[in-house]
Amino acid sequence: MDPHLLRTFVTVARTGSFSAAAAHLGYTQSAISQQIAALETDLGLPLLHRRPVTPTEAGTRLLEHAEPLLLRLRAARADVLRTAALPAHRLTLAASPLALNTRLAHRLARARAAQPRLEVTVRTCSRDEVSGQVAVGEAEIGLADGIAAPSDPLRLPDAGPITTTGVSEEELLVALPADHPLAGRAGLRLADLVDARWLQTSLCPVRRLRDLAGDGFRVALDYTGDDVHTVLNLVAAGHGLTLLPASVLPPSSVSASAVTSAFPASAGRGVPLSAPRLVHRVELLHGALPDGPAARLAADLSG
């Protein structure tokens, strides 16, 4: 299968339009149709329904393979080019929404102070996109966060030869409204909250909770963004519970008078997760880094 044909197929399938794919890839619509026909001829199966444009059953299976294959091809190209790349003082750091915590932000500040010429652009994206951007060279360094058992690695997609290093672990809290009956507890077990109503967010996907504690965890509201203040507001208003790292919200033991202006009295409260033993983990990701600014930044972020 020609990678160029696979890329065209993925683009048509994702846009749901031959004309939109043509505009995105810079081809004519006729050329797009010919490339899809050539791929279908090669496989001997129809891959796309035409009206509307949706993948057939065979096309859906091919999509599962095509996107990782195309990513690995781009990653291979980037990995080879990195071996001959000159040291650059302008770098991109891809970070998932909760990855650049206070500790790592201070490490980044120290790294920049030690390299005055260093220019860093921080780009926020999903944890899966962090892996992809580092693999294909769109970012020199990545920081990905997620929920894991202590010292266990995160579940990140296989995007190529990427080095991952754990750089931060902190306690997880159950975020609840300040007046919730459980807000005063010293700790909460995840298994005791399977019947509670939860927020579905990219910061704490409900499917991850089900992986950890079984079925349940009813979704009360689906929030598709990644702004932590919005999540806190939704929790405080009673739309559902979620898990967040301890540095994001005040613990329930903090009195309303002691809460700083960053956490108004109406904000949600956090109760430590007592079981199972889980942490909020951040990992540093990078490809092969020759000696230079990027390698020194990676070392500084590693602590």
Side-chain angles (χ1 to χ4, degrees):
M1 291 179 286
D2 187 326
H4 296 292
L5 300 185
L6 282 177
R7 185 177 66 137
T8 298
F9 166 69
V10 169
T11 305
V12 173
R14 292 308 181 202
T15 60
S17 166
F18 281 71
S19 59
H24 180 78
L25 296 173
Y27 294 122
T28 64
Q29 185 170 336
S30 175
I32 294 292
S33 298
Q34 291 173 14
Q35 291 179 39
I36 295 298
L39 185 59
E40 290 178 325
T41 299
D42 179 25
L43 291 172
L45 290 167
L47 300 172
L48 293 168
H49 299 294
R50 270 30 180 201
R51 294 183 181 178
V53 178
T54 57
T56 63
E57 183 178 355
T60 299
R61 295 298 295 273
L62 181 58
L63 269 178
E64 295 175 3
H65 296 282
E67 291 183 305
L69 283 171
L70 292 173
L71 176 60
R72 288 301 298 265
L73 284 172
R74 293 170 62 201
R77 177 182 177 85
D79 196 41
V80 170
L81 293 177
R82 271 193 289 262
T83 63
L86 296 174
H89 291 274
R90 181 173 296 175
L91 306 175
T92 296
L93 171 63
S96 51
L98 295 178
L100 197 56
N101 56 32
T102 302
R103 177 184 303 173
L104 291 169
H106 279 93
R107 289 182 188 174
L108 178 60
R110 289 196 297 270
R112 295 180 61 216
Q115 299 188 70
R117 294 178 56 198
L118 184 64
E119 296 182 24
V120 179
T121 297
V122 177
R123 179 187 298 150
T124 302
C125 54
S126 73
R127 60 178 60 90
D128 288 353
E129 290 173 330
V130 170
S131 298
Q133 290 192 18
V134 171
V136 303
E138 294 177 2
E140 286 77 15
I141 295 173
L143 289 171
D145 77 283
I147 298 171
S151 301
D152 278 0
L154 296 178
R155 298 178 180 180
L156 297 173
D158 180 10
I162 295 177
T163 298
T164 61
T165 306
V167 292
S168 174
E169 286 189 0
E170 63 176 306
E171 183 181 37
L172 278 168
L173 303 183
V174 181
L176 318 97
D179 58 355
H180 194 281
L182 300 177
R185 294 282 187 91
L188 289 170
R189 291 160 34 93
L190 194 57
D192 294 335
L193 300 171
V194 293
D195 294 326
R197 302 196 314 159
W198 289 78
L199 293 178
Q200 166 60 37
T201 77
S202 61
L203 307 182
C204 177
V206 168
R207 68 176 182 277
R208 181 69 176 124
L209 303 181
R210 291 169 180 158
D211 288 343
L212 295 164
D215 294 336
F217 302 99
R218 292 175 298 160
V219 175
L221 186 145
D222 192 347
Y223 170 57
T224 60
D226 56 23
D227 179 68
V228 69
H229 293 292
T230 299
V231 171
L232 286 173
N233 287 337
L234 292 172
V235 169
H239 291 284
L241 311 184
T242 192
L243 297 182
L244 289 170
S247 58
V248 167
L249 74 168
S252 58
S253 59
V254 177
S255 67
S257 61
V259 176
T260 67
S261 59
F263 300 106
S266 60
R269 293 291 181 268
V271 176
L273 183 67
S274 58
R277 290 190 63 220
L278 298 171
V279 295
H280 178 257
R281 179 177 172 88
V282 180
E283 292 185 357
L284 177 77
L285 288 70
H286 61 81
L289 295 176
D291 187 37
R296 291 194 292 275
L297 176 59
D300 289 340
L301 288 174
S302 296

